[in-house]
Amino acid sequence: MKYIKPFISGIPWNCSRYYSAMSLTETQSEHEHDGREYERFLQANNRELNALFGYPNNSIKTSKYTALNFLPLNLFEQFQRLANAYFLLLLFLQLIPQISSLAWYTTVIPLVVVLSITGVKDAIDDWKRHQSDNQVNNHSVPLLADDGRVKEEKWMNVEVGDIIKLKNDQAVPADLLLLSSSEPYSLAYIETADLDGETNLKVKQAISVTSDMGDNLDLLSTFDGEVRCDPPNNKLDKFTGILTYKRKSYSLDHDKLLLRGCIIRNTDWCYGLVIYTGPDTKLMQNSGKSIFKRTHMDHLMNLFVIWIFLFLGAMCFMLAIGHGIWENKKGYHFQIFLPQESYVSSSVISAIFIFWSYFIILNTMVPISLYVSVEIIRLGNSFYINWDRKMFYEPKNTPAQARTTTLNEELGQVKYVFSDKTGTLTQNIMIFKKCSINGKAYGSSCDKEGLREPGFEKEEGDFYNKLTSPKCLFHDQTLMEAVKKGDHWVHMFFLSLSLCHTVMSQEKVEGELVYQAQSPDEGALVTAARNLGFVFRSRTSETITVVEMGKTRVYQLLAILDFSSVRKRMSVIVRTPENRVMLFCKGADTIISELLHRSCVALNNVTMEHLDDFASDGLRTLMVAYRELDDKFFNTWSKKHNEACLSAKDREIKLSVVYAEIEKDLMLLGATGIEDKLQDGVPETIITLNKAKIKIWVLTGDKQETAINIAYSCNVFEDEMDGVFMIEGKDSETILQELRTARGKMKPESLLESDPVNIYLKKKPKRTFTMPEEAFALEGNLELELLRTASLCKGVICCRMTPFQKAQVVELVKRYKKVVTLAIGDGANDVSMIKAAHIGVGISGQEGMQAMLNSDFAFSQFCYLQRLLLVHGRWSYNRMCKFLSYFFYKNFVFTLVHFWYAFFNGFSAQAVYDTWFITCYNLIYTSLPVLGLSLFEQDVNETWSLHFPELYIPGQHNLYFNKKEFVKCLIHGIYSSFVLFFVPMGTIYNSERSDGKDISDIQTFCLIVQTSLIWMVTVQIALKTTYWTMISHFFIWGSLGFYFCILFFLYSDGLCLMFPSIFQFLGVARNTMNQSQIWLSLILSVILCVIPAFGYQFLQPLVWPVNVDKVFDRINHCKTRPPQVRVRTKLKHPSLRRSAYAFSHKQGFGALITSGKTTKIKPNKRNSFPVKK
């Protein structure tokens, strides 16, 4: 792009369009080899030129399939599953008559059913994504057309270089350069809740050259400015560029850019030039890469399928060798009656064919219905989440949503929770709760729901309360009386709050004030003063108008000493109507207490005690003070202040020195306590999750002090903890030392060279893992030091995190800890983190929908997380584990009977069972009982699950289904198959019926074995079931009865006579089931198979108890004797007072106020045109 400037600026535009387009295209082609955009160039109102660069349109696409590619793409994805690919191979083998030992439909029918069910589910999920995309892409926005008129256009048709018009409360459809607005000096107020979860307004301002265009459509339509700026990136707070217009260049920065996802507030209209569209917008750039999430159970199942495949191959090899030996020793005797086929020239060739025949007949070792059953179970458990009324948020009519059906059991294995702060743990609503004035504390009188107690209704005739705000719920009768009586210090305190701020006020309707504050803290303080009779009504660059006790007073604004992160305070200097010069100051108590006059020592001590009480309640505190100045001193100081303001070098340092000269010898007025209102139930939820051994890490963009304050409020940190470690180094060496010092205090042995991790690290080369900007703790060899230290802590707070860094922290834990991670957030800045974690949860509320749209699960309140994990997650995990252990077991038993039978049929690959029984075993006979177990099983109910979070711990270590449990299933399956074969074999060997007829035939033996198998697996699942319902009884015993119905139908005379080649067991069921020895054999087989499982289930809690067994004992004890409720008392720790107001407060509107740019000016007359639709 470096060649653009010479070609464009040197020639008048009306005769240079061809040349500029050519040069830009040539420059673009230089970078086509790597596909990267190094610099963006565009021209306003010139789609023809902008189209040469191939910028994407403004549509977004989150769907995966189209009508054309669904079938091939979905089948390709499904056959990536080993079991599906295995059965496809098996189907091809069954089509080879020389080795096929089973009918082809025994594989085709189950495979088609599995693929169809999974395909339909995927199609429904993708259709929902298509609907969501279409809803967003088809939103309309007024767009300036070529003819100079405004017409409505769909979002997806907006292109780079277009000029669009936005109105109040309208969402920004693309990243725009603000050109002009209805507000004075082209200011625009935006809400960025959808990006960062913050509901306080931000201010954007257009550059002067475009602000003069206003809403003049003639000027806007002929605007041909050229913009060169950064290529698309994910940095929400950074943007640099140059606007060239009429051969002059103007610098562009982030304060002039409106990002997609923002909402226009308190601005009638504004115009913007489209810079980035669709996937190039910063919102979508922060969405991260969509990945297909698979659970740990999926990986484990794939591993076990490989094991089974190897075990199957070993068995087939053994049986093929057995067949070869049998052919050499005995097989040639049968060739007279059963001559070999012409293609079988030797016993070796015969053994090779038998290998593949057994590979087909033993295929049920790898159960094809496993995956479709898993999908049905996950779908059912997802519905439970959607239907849970206790996770329904009534105020916003929002239910919980399981947006994916593949991660349910993963919810029962979470070890780390990564949470955003603003909008997730907190509501981003500040409430004025308490205050201390002249040594006396006043408190709020609200009930638990945050509503005013009776008696605090607005009284008619209260002259100072006509402008009260319903947003402030603070009420203290004693304080109200003090205000009414005219207490001097109380009036000074609230006068200070009404003057010392940078809030801006709007009053579009008489008596209805709307405050715009950079910090919600400031808004809460000014609103509290407003409700107590000191109403900040308006301001100009030189005055502040306050209604005091019903009387309007105008103060002359002399100076604003604005907030900075170093000063941690702000002050205003005003001249009162009585001609007194007053300085009012508020800020962090640690700072203000050092600036007080020595006469305030006693008052300061009392106030500090009140601050301790405020902090123990989790309130954010600050001090308020004042100083009266004489005119001579102020005039001298004012000259120094003007010189510092005009200084070109070290301006900030000089201003700080000047500020310090006047901000001293302050007189203390009091202190405030503001509640950063947490979402309902957050502290209790985090305590419960901690009991479940789930670690909470808070990843936030806020400053350290603010985050720590919230961490204490919501119990991520506790006052009773041994200590708090803060990593504040600015270089790698310092951070490394801080990390090791902290780890040495918690676990000294981890620093020794003999520590296993240190020995491992010396042998293994470290992988680089770099972070942008100054994230030193996540670079190179520090990442593991950070993780090792943080893992030892009870709670972790990561501050000043960018969206990308949040995702990298999650990836760090995923890579090294090998645990299940969950990320929860509410804004677009949390999307990368949500996508990076194993499980992503979006909070759907006032903070926007981006997090929810990219999440796996969504609900409206953080407190629902404990129910999602401890109830639904734990139940899903337990159900899935019981399902898998039983499913593998029943298939092992079913298949391995063929292995024992091989020793009695010359290893001829003859099936023990009827062909139809093989087809229906997994799909019909045993499907409903296992689904009933997997959908309705509960070891304990939801109340005990929440009351004893320790029940969750086994899932974190995957104790209920792992490699050890799988081997147990295999061993138990081998034993049961042995019993099921040899007990019926011994029963019918040389046996006769009561009428003297022989019953030792293959069909009778087949029927006895398969009936014993059905009975045995039914009793086994009954033993596994602990929560019996009518549905469970119907599924389990009903399936057993259904088996006999199908049995007599398939072996009926009519069916066998009509299709003798397909149904060959004529009369077998009728002739076999009336024999007493058959039923005795069945009972004996079932008892022998059940004894090991029943014995282990009985002895395991007694002989090999685990911690969770002790919890079950406590539950059983509590059922007979209800536990006593313990009240958790909050200890008072003065040393842990936390002052956070100043740290959350961003740079205020100070410079903007004193510049005069907030004063309403009379708009010029402009042309108006009809809107074309």
Side-chain angles (χ1 to χ4, degrees):
M1 291 296 183
K2 62 184 179 181
Y3 303 112
I4 296 175
K5 182 72 174 179
F7 278 94
I8 294 179
S9 61
I11 306 174
W13 180 251
N14 57 5
C15 62
S16 65
R17 177 168 297 186
Y18 170 77
Y19 299 103
S20 60
M22 180 181 66
S23 63
L24 294 170
T25 306
E26 291 173 353
T27 307
Q28 183 186 26
S29 66
E30 294 177 5
H31 303 300
E32 283 182 352
H33 64 280
D34 58 4
R36 296 173 58 188
E37 183 179 347
Y38 290 87
E39 187 181 48
R40 172 151 295 200
F41 175 86
L42 59 102
Q43 186 183 33
N45 295 314
N46 192 345
R47 284 194 171 189
E48 182 182 352
L49 172 65
N50 299 329
L52 297 176
F53 300 98
Y55 298 138
N57 61 24
N58 202 39
S59 63
I60 60 171
K61 180 177 180 292
T62 60
S63 56
K64 185 188 300 184
Y65 307 112
T66 65
L68 295 178
N69 69 9
F70 171 75
L71 190 60
L73 186 57
N74 187 259
L75 288 176
F76 174 75
E77 290 177 348
Q78 290 202 58
F79 283 119
Q80 286 182 324
R81 287 177 169 172
L82 294 179
N84 290 345
Y86 164 74
F87 275 93
L88 183 63
L89 172 64
L90 196 69
L91 176 60
F92 290 135
L93 292 176
Q94 284 184 287
L95 297 177
I96 303 175
Q98 288 82 359
I99 62 175
S100 179
S101 52
L102 290 175
W104 59 270
Y105 53 80
T106 59
T107 298
V108 169
I109 294 176
L111 183 61
V112 170
V113 171
V114 169
L115 297 178
S116 300
I117 292 177
T118 305
V120 169
K121 185 188 80 68
D122 291 342
I124 293 173
D125 288 345
D126 202 62
W127 174 250
K128 292 179 180 179
R129 286 191 286 266
H130 272 286
Q131 288 180 318
S132 177
D133 292 344
N134 291 334
Q135 183 180 2
V136 173
N137 292 331
N138 286 302
H139 285 165
S140 62
V141 62
L143 184 143
L144 189 61
D146 295 335
D147 57 2
R149 306 179 70 183
V150 173
K151 66 175 183 179
E152 293 290 330
E153 189 61 85
K154 294 180 179 179
W155 277 23
M156 61 182 178
N157 296 330
V158 173
E159 297 183 8
V160 171
D162 289 346
I163 294 178
I164 61 178
K165 179 180 181 179
L166 297 173
K167 299 179 182 179
N168 192 37
D169 297 330
Q170 192 171 357
V172 180
D175 291 353
L176 312 175
L177 174 65
L178 181 61
L179 298 178
S180 62
S181 80
S182 60
E183 299 306 296
Y185 291 87
S186 287
L187 297 179
Y189 303 101
I190 61 170
E191 183 181 280
T192 60
D194 207 11
L195 293 173
D196 53 22
E198 296 183 5
T199 54
N200 49 292
L201 300 182
K202 311 291 192 305
V203 178
K204 302 291 182 178
Q205 184 177 17
I207 57 177
S208 58
V209 67
T210 61
S211 64
D212 295 337
M213 293 188 294
D215 61 347
N216 189 314
L217 298 184
D218 288 337
L219 296 177
L220 288 167
S221 61
T222 57
F223 176 67
D224 58 0
E226 304 157 14
V227 175
R228 285 184 289 119
C229 61
D230 300 330
N233 59 76
N234 61 1
K235 297 177 181 178
L236 292 172
D237 57 348
K238 291 190 177 181
F239 174 75
T240 57
I242 296 176
L243 170 66
T244 303
Y245 182 53
K246 295 182 178 178
R247 300 192 179 185
K248 292 184 179 179
S249 297
Y250 306 88
S251 63
L252 306 176
D253 56 27
H254 175 67
D255 291 333
K256 298 171 178 60
L257 193 68
L258 305 180
L259 300 183
R260 177 173 181 149
C262 298
I263 307 294
I264 304 297
R265 299 293 190 199
N266 300 326
T267 305
D268 293 336
W269 53 262
C270 66
Y271 286 88
L273 172 65
V274 178
I275 304 296
Y276 304 116
T277 52
D280 288 347
T281 59
K282 292 184 181 290
L283 177 68
M284 299 304 295
Q285 290 281 313
N286 270 289
S287 295
K289 184 180 179 181
S290 295
I291 58 174
F292 178 66
K293 295 183 178 181
R294 304 187 67 183
T295 69
H296 284 64
M297 284 295 180
D298 285 330
H299 294 293
L300 204 58
M301 282 192 292
N302 277 343
L303 175 65
F304 291 155
V305 167
I306 294 174
W307 284 12
I308 293 172
F309 185 82
L310 296 175
F311 183 70
L312 173 62
M315 280 200 304
C316 293
F317 183 73
M318 290 173 56
L319 296 174
I321 292 176
H323 176 78
I325 296 173
W326 186 86
E327 280 289 341
N328 280 329
K329 292 187 176 182
K330 295 185 178 181
Y332 64 92
H333 296 298
F334 294 90
Q335 291 185 13
I336 298 175
F337 307 101
L338 295 172
Q340 290 182 340
E341 299 290 344
S342 57
Y343 52 80
V344 180
S345 58
S346 67
S347 60
V348 175
I349 300 298
S350 180
I352 292 174
F353 283 120
I354 287 296
F355 174 88
W356 291 108
S357 296
Y358 269 114
F359 193 82
I360 294 172
I361 204 170
L362 298 178
N363 71 79
T364 48
M365 282 284 287
V366 183
I368 188 173
S369 58
L370 171 65
Y371 289 103
V372 70
S373 300
V374 166
E375 294 297 334
I376 294 173
I377 293 166
R378 287 170 172 169
L379 182 63
N381 287 319
S382 298
F383 283 133
Y384 290 150
I385 296 173
N386 297 336
W387 295 338
D388 192 341
R389 296 292 300 176
K390 294 183 179 179
M391 295 174 68
F392 178 80
Y393 190 56
E394 202 165 338
K396 293 191 176 294
N397 196 34
T398 306
Q401 296 181 47
R403 295 176 52 80
T404 180
T405 60
T406 59
L407 302 174
N408 299 88
E409 70 273 9
E410 198 93 322
L411 290 170
Q413 299 180 273
V414 174
K415 183 66 177 177
Y416 283 82
V417 170
F418 300 93
S419 174
D420 178 41
K421 182 188 75 67
T422 306
T424 303
L425 299 177
T426 70
Q427 299 182 30
N428 200 31
I429 298 174
M430 303 299 170
I431 298 178
F432 188 89
K433 278 287 188 179
K434 295 183 179 181
C435 62
S436 172
I437 305 175
N438 196 31
K440 186 173 182 179
Y442 301 94
S444 176
S445 299
C446 295
D447 59 20
K448 293 181 180 179
E449 283 73 28
L451 302 175
R452 296 171 180 169
E453 289 186 344
F456 186 50
E457 290 80 15
K458 180 176 177 180
E459 301 177 18
E460 293 296 332
D462 271 2
F463 63 94
Y464 61 88
N465 210 24
K466 293 180 180 178
L467 296 174
T468 185
S469 169
K471 293 182 179 179
C472 181
L473 304 178
F474 176 82
H475 178 67
D476 186 286
Q477 191 60 40
T478 306
L479 183 58
M480 295 289 289
E481 293 296 330
V483 172
K484 289 180 180 180
K485 291 178 180 179
D487 185 292
H488 172 72
W489 296 112
V490 172
H491 280 212
M492 283 290 289
F493 179 84
F494 288 109
L495 177 62
S496 174
L497 295 185
S498 65
L499 291 172
C500 185
H501 56 79
T502 58
V503 174
M504 291 188 286
S505 172
Q506 283 189 339
E507 190 175 0
K508 296 184 177 180
V509 179
E510 179 70 22
E512 294 185 9
L513 296 175
V514 177
Y515 291 152
Q516 298 167 1
Q518 280 289 76
S519 163
D521 304 63
E522 275 210 328
L525 293 172
V526 177
T527 302
R530 167 183 173 181
N531 278 28
L532 287 162
F534 291 80
V535 182
F536 163 65
R537 192 149 196 175
S538 64
R539 69 160 75 242
T540 68
S541 60
E542 298 178 349
T543 63
I544 300 176
T545 302
V546 178
V547 180
E548 300 178 17
M549 307 297 289
K551 297 178 181 179
T552 301
R553 290 165 60 87
V554 179
Y555 292 81
Q556 183 182 354
L557 179 60
L558 302 178
I560 295 179
L561 285 58
D562 210 352
F563 169 85
S564 76
S565 58
V566 177
R567 284 167 36 77
K568 300 178 183 177
R569 64 189 183 276
M570 76 157 293
S571 302
V572 296
I573 303 174
V574 299
R575 187 179 297 277
T576 69
E578 294 79 18
N579 203 31
R580 297 164 58 194
V581 179
M582 304 288 293
L583 178 145
F584 294 99
C585 181
K586 66 182 179 185
D589 51 77
T590 53
I591 301 297
I592 301 296
S593 59
E594 299 294 328
L595 305 176
L596 296 177
H597 192 273
R598 57 178 177 270
S599 63
C600 297
V601 173
L603 178 59
N604 185 44
N605 292 336
V606 175
T607 305
M608 284 295 185
E609 291 182 4
H610 294 162
L611 288 175
D612 290 339
D613 294 333
F614 297 172
S616 66
D617 292 335
L619 302 182
R620 302 154 70 108
T621 60
L622 79 157
M623 277 186 169
V624 181
Y626 80 100
R627 179 185 179 186
E628 186 169 357
L629 308 172
D630 60 68
D631 288 337
K632 183 178 179 180
F633 173 77
F634 172 73
N635 291 333
T636 304
W637 177 88
S638 182
K639 293 178 182 178
K640 296 180 181 180
H641 180 239
N642 291 335
E643 292 175 1
C645 289
L646 297 174
S647 176
K649 184 178 181 182
D650 299 329
R651 180 184 303 170
E652 295 297 328
I653 297 176
K654 292 179 180 179
L655 281 175
S656 297
V657 173
V658 173
Y659 290 165
E661 290 183 8
I662 201 168
E663 289 177 327
K664 62 182 180 180
D665 295 333
L666 303 178
M667 302 301 295
L668 180 62
L669 287 173
T672 63
I674 298 176
E675 178 187 19
D676 187 356
K677 192 168 179 61
L678 299 175
Q679 289 199 11
D680 295 335
V682 166
E684 296 79 7
T685 298
I686 290 179
I687 290 174
T688 302
L689 295 180
N690 283 334
K691 290 180 180 178
K693 304 300 181 185
I694 297 175
K695 293 192 174 184
I696 313 291
W697 288 24
V698 179
L699 311 182
T700 177
D702 275 348
K703 291 183 173 63
Q704 178 176 284
E705 293 84 352
T706 308
I708 290 176
N709 184 71
I710 293 300
Y712 277 103
S713 299
C714 63
N715 288 322
V716 174
F717 289 173
E718 294 179 354
D719 293 341
E720 295 82 5
M721 291 191 305
D722 295 332
V724 177
F725 302 107
M726 299 185 186
I727 309 303
E728 300 176 313
K730 301 297 182 182
D731 57 79
S732 299
E733 293 182 2
T734 306
I735 292 175
L736 178 62
Q737 186 60 40
E738 289 177 339
L739 290 171
R740 289 185 174 175
T741 300
R743 184 153 51 89
K745 293 180 179 179
M746 292 183 287
K747 189 178 180 182
E749 61 271 19
S750 66
L751 298 177
L752 301 177
E753 293 184 0
S754 58
D755 181 69
V757 178
N758 292 331
I759 296 174
Y760 172 77
L761 292 177
K762 288 181 179 179
K763 296 179 180 179
K764 183 180 179 181
K766 298 180 177 64
R767 291 187 289 179
T768 58
F769 184 68
T770 58
M771 291 290 292
E773 301 175 339
E774 297 181 356
F776 294 109
L778 288 170
E779 290 183 354
N781 61 343
L782 288 182
E783 59 170 354
L784 199 53
E785 288 288 342
L786 170 66
L787 182 61
R788 293 182 68 188
T789 303
S791 299
L792 297 174
C793 299
K794 182 179 182 296
V796 176
I797 308 293
C798 298
C799 311
R800 310 303 293 168
M801 301 289 288
T802 66
F804 180 68
Q805 289 169 345
K806 289 183 179 182
Q808 297 293 1
V809 170
V810 176
E811 292 286 357
L812 175 63
V813 175
K814 282 175 61 179
R815 184 167 62 251
Y816 286 112
K817 297 296 288 185
K818 305 301 180 185
V819 294
V820 178
T821 59
L822 180 147
I824 179 170
D826 68 307
N829 58 338
D830 302 315
V831 170
S832 294
M833 172 178 72
I834 286 172
K835 288 186 174 182
H838 293 104
I839 303 169
V841 177
I843 300 292
S844 56
Q846 64 179 3
E847 295 80 13
M849 303 296 286
Q850 282 300 315
M852 189 203 74
L853 293 175
N854 289 278
S855 65
D856 305 306
F857 301 89
F859 42 72
S860 293
Q861 293 287 296
F862 181 86
C863 63
Y864 297 156
L865 182 62
Q866 64 175 328
R867 188 168 180 83
L868 181 71
L869 299 183
L870 303 186
V871 178
H872 294 287
R874 201 182 71 83
W875 281 350
S876 296
Y877 170 73
N878 289 355
R879 290 165 181 165
M880 186 61 70
C881 291
K882 284 191 175 184
F883 162 77
L884 291 174
S885 60
Y886 173 77
F887 200 93
F888 281 119
Y889 167 73
K890 75 182 180 69
N891 279 276
F892 290 155
V893 178
F894 171 69
T895 305
L896 291 175
V897 171
H898 292 100
F899 180 81
W900 307 115
Y901 185 47
F903 292 91
F904 295 86
N905 63 18
F907 304 95
S908 60
Q910 184 179 356
V912 178
Y913 311 111
D914 174 24
T915 303
W916 285 104
F917 181 81
I918 295 175
T919 304
C920 299
Y921 177 72
N922 277 315
L923 287 180
I924 299 177
Y925 296 149
T926 62
S927 59
L928 283 182
V930 72
L931 288 177
L933 174 76
S934 307
L935 292 175
F936 305 110
E937 176 65 2
Q938 298 178 16
D939 52 354
V940 294
N941 61 31
E942 61 185 61
T943 303
W944 296 117
S945 295
L946 294 171
H947 193 74
F948 291 95
E950 300 88 346
L951 292 171
Y952 188 83
I953 298 175
Q956 296 171 335
H957 304 285
N958 199 23
L959 296 182
Y960 291 156
F961 189 73
N962 47 42
K963 297 173 184 176
K964 181 180 178 181
E965 294 298 321
F966 177 78
V967 172
K968 288 181 183 178
C969 291
L970 179 59
I971 295 173
H972 190 201
I974 293 173
Y975 165 78
S976 298
S977 66
F978 183 86
V979 171
L980 283 179
F981 178 80
F982 285 100
V983 169
M985 173 69 77
T987 300
I988 70 168
Y989 185 70
N990 289 332
S991 295
E992 295 179 349
R993 289 170 38 146
S994 57
D995 57 2
K997 293 183 179 179
D998 186 24
I999 59 172
S1000 57
D1001 60 277
I1002 182 62
Q1003 291 187 338
T1004 301
F1005 176 71
C1006 165
L1007 179 62
I1008 296 173
V1009 172
Q1010 64 191 36
T1011 304
S1012 300
L1013 173 63
I1014 293 296
W1015 268 97
M1016 187 270 298
V1017 296
T1018 302
V1019 174
Q1020 287 282 6
I1021 201 169
L1023 287 177
K1024 284 183 174 290
T1025 302
T1026 58
Y1027 182 70
W1028 287 92
T1029 64
M1030 290 298 297
I1031 298 178
S1032 303
H1033 284 289
F1034 175 76
F1035 279 3
I1036 292 176
W1037 311 120
S1039 291
L1040 187 60
F1042 186 68
Y1043 162 74
F1044 284 103
C1045 294
I1046 294 294
L1047 178 71
F1048 283 100
F1049 173 73
L1050 293 177
Y1051 296 172
S1052 63
D1053 294 350
L1055 206 59
C1056 292
L1057 293 174
M1058 289 174 62
F1059 307 100
S1061 60
I1062 300 177
F1063 304 99
Q1064 301 171 350
F1065 282 60
L1066 177 62
V1068 175
R1070 181 177 63 252
N1071 295 329
T1072 303
M1073 290 301 173
N1074 60 4
Q1075 301 301 311
S1076 58
Q1077 65 265 41
I1078 302 301
W1079 289 100
L1080 290 174
S1081 167
L1082 188 151
I1083 294 172
L1084 179 61
S1085 299
V1086 171
I1087 291 175
L1088 290 177
C1089 290
V1090 166
I1091 284 176
F1094 183 79
Y1096 180 80
Q1097 190 172 335
F1098 176 76
L1099 294 176
Q1100 188 267 331
L1102 301 176
V1103 182
W1104 308 285
V1106 292
N1107 291 333
V1108 72
D1109 294 324
K1110 300 176 182 178
V1111 179
F1112 285 121
D1113 292 338
R1114 289 163 55 195
I1115 292 175
N1116 293 329
H1117 178 74
C1118 291
K1119 288 179 179 178
T1120 58
R1121 186 178 301 176
Q1124 296 181 353
V1125 180
R1126 296 181 179 179
V1127 180
R1128 188 171 181 265
T1129 58
K1130 184 100 174 179
L1131 300 178
K1132 183 177 177 181
H1133 291 265
S1135 62
L1136 295 175
R1137 182 175 65 255
R1138 298 176 292 278
S1139 175
Y1141 161 78
F1143 307 112
S1144 70
H1145 181 54
K1146 299 180 180 179
Q1147 185 71 31
F1149 293 133
L1152 200 60
I1153 291 168
T1154 55
S1155 69
K1157 292 182 179 180
T1158 60
T1159 308
K1160 263 299 189 191
I1161 58 176
K1162 186 176 180 180
N1164 298 324
K1165 291 184 178 180
R1166 297 183 175 95
N1167 296 331
S1168 59
F1169 291 86
V1171 177
K1172 179 181 177 181
K1173 292 188 179 181

